[in-house]
């Protein structure tokens, strides 16, 4: 009978649990309609369940005039926050403290005269919010990006790097190694959050012992996608799903060891339901 294991560190992190507690409290309190600026977390199933409780998502703070507005865990730009505080009945800041730490690190580097680069994905809400805290800063996501900005990096001479909280340590190392030969000084503020590092280490260990890996979480979730990439390196039969309805029985044919992990925006209840569905499929309960 196959063995099903859940990664030691998996699922909802401190920042996500904090944001969900804040939104639940706001709904329970009643009063002004509750809205979130962008999806509160990158998990469509959770966002959909909040929608059923009357919590809607707005794309810009000016669409939430008069509402009670939660700022997403990934953070917002200073301009978005200013509009929210001017126009909303109430503003609740669910920005994860680890993301705030990255904003502060970027501002400190700029103040100390470094040219600031954010190691992360351009276009991701967290990276965009961090970039907006330091006008002129640029996102770089790979050694290829470093090559692309080589001229500007050489001219800057003193480079300050801060990191998207969900970045993998190996990608950070790749970018730092590519940047070092271009500058007189490279200062790295490692703002990868503890939950990300813990989830990735546990995922790597479990994938090494597994024939099949199931990674649960939103497809738009950067940290879940990163877990799926890490798992695939060690376990080619890795599948990224958002919920138990996506599981297929033939994924588990011949598998003796099945591993489950979940991104930082995946609640415990989702992990349990996937575990149960797999156990039923493979006859392990
Ligand atoms: Fe905060 Fe890290 Fe969770 Fe993102 S993954 S919400 S930075 S604790």
């Amino acid at each position: 009978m196959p063995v099903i294991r859940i990664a030691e560190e998996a699922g909802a992190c401190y920042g996500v649990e904090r944001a969900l507690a804040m939104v639940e409290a706001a709904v329970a309190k009643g009063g002004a309609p509750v809205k979130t600026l962008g999806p509160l977390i990158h998990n469509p199933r959770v966002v959909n369940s909040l929608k059923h409780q009357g919590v809607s998502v707005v794309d810009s703070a000016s669409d939430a005039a008069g509402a009670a507005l939660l700022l997403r865990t990934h953070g917002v730009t200073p301009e978005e926050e200013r509009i929210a505080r001017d126009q909303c009945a109430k503003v609740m800041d669910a920005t994860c403290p680890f993301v705030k730490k990255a904003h502060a690190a970027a501002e400190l580097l700029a103040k100390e005269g470094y040219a600031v680069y954010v190691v992360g994905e351009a276009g991701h809400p967290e990276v965009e919010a961090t970039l907006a805290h330091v006008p002129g800063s640029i996102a770089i996501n790979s050694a290829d990006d470093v090559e692309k900005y080589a001229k500007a990096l050489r001219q800057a001479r003193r480079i300050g790097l801060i990191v998207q909280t969900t970045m993998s340590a190996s990608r950070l190392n790749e970018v730092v190694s590519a940047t070092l030969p271009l500058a007189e000084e490279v200062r790295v503020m490692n703002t990868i959050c503890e939950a990300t590092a813990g989830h990735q280490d546990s995922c790597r260990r479990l994938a090494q012992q597994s024939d099949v890996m199931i990674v649960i979480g939103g497809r738009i979730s950067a940290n879940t996608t990163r877990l799926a990439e890490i798992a695939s390196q060690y376990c080619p039969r890795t599948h990224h799903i958002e919920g138990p309805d996506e599981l297929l029985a033939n994924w588990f044919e011949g598998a003796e060891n099945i591993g489950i992990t979940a991104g930082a925006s995946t609640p415990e209840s989702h992990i349990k339901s996937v575990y149960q569905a797999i156990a039923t499929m493979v006859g392990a309960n």
Side-chain angles (χ1 to χ4, degrees), residues 2 13 74 78 87 100 130 146 210-211 270 275 280:
C13 61
H74 295 101
Q87 301 189 4
K100 292 233 176 214
T130 306
V146 173
S210 301
D211 304 309
H270 290 200
Y275 179 96
T280 305

Side-chain angles (χ1 to χ4, degrees), residues 59-280:
D59 292 330
S60 101
S62 51
D63 294 335
L69 184 68
L70 277 117
L71 308 182
R72 59 180 165 244
T73 49
H74 295 101
V76 300
T77 67
E79 177 62 5
E80 282 174 317
E81 183 165 354
R82 188 191 61 73
I83 296 171
R85 297 207 182 271
D86 279 356
Q87 301 189 4
C88 297
K90 187 175 178 192
V91 176
M92 292 155 284
D93 191 356
T95 307
C96 177
F98 287 104
V99 173
K100 292 233 176 214
K101 197 171 141 191
H103 295 170
E107 284 165 348
L108 179 72
L109 287 171
K111 197 168 148 214
E112 293 186 355
Y114 292 89
V116 176
Y117 286 79
V118 179
V119 184
E121 298 158 63
H124 185 282
E126 179 193 321
V127 174
E128 293 305 310
T130 306
L131 291 170
H133 280 74
V134 177
S137 55
I138 291 172
I140 44 177
N141 197 27
S142 61
D144 285 348
D145 279 355
V146 173
E147 185 63 35
K148 187 167 132 197
Y149 293 109
K151 192 171 166 206
L153 286 158
R154 263 197 204 95
Q155 281 169 353
R157 293 159 65 155
R158 294 177 76 220
I159 309 295
L161 297 180
I162 70 120
V163 196
Q164 184 175 0
T165 54
T166 49
M167 184 52 66
S168 67
S170 60
R171 180 66 68 86
L172 173 60
N173 287 339
E174 173 193 320
V175 170
V176 172
S177 304
T179 307
L180 277 174
L182 303 177
E184 275 177 23
E185 184 187 347
V186 178
R187 184 159 173 211
V188 183
M189 304 284 246
N190 184 354
T191 44
I192 296 174
C193 86
E194 286 165 23
T196 297
H199 280 47
Q200 291 179 355
D201 285 347
S202 299
C203 172
R204 194 174 293 109
R205 282 198 301 276
L206 185 59
Q208 283 166 345
Q209 311 163 19
S210 301
D211 304 309
V212 177
M213 276 292 289
I214 301 298
V215 182
I216 316 162
R219 288 196 176 78
I220 54 164
S221 156
N223 78 82
T224 312
T225 305
R226 203 88 63 214
L227 289 179
E229 285 167 7
I230 291 169
S232 307
Q233 286 167 13
Y234 300 93
C235 175
R237 292 168 70 185
T238 292
H239 302 276
H240 179 172
I241 61 167
E242 291 190 348
D245 48 310
E246 295 174 33
L247 292 167
L248 294 177
N250 63 12
W251 291 350
F252 305 104
E253 276 169 15
E256 288 177 6
N257 291 288
I258 299 166
I260 300 175
T261 188
S265 44
T266 307
E268 178 74 24
S269 59
H270 290 200
I271 302 176
K272 278 190 184 146
S273 61
V274 168
Y275 179 96
Q276 205 46 52
I278 296 174
T280 305

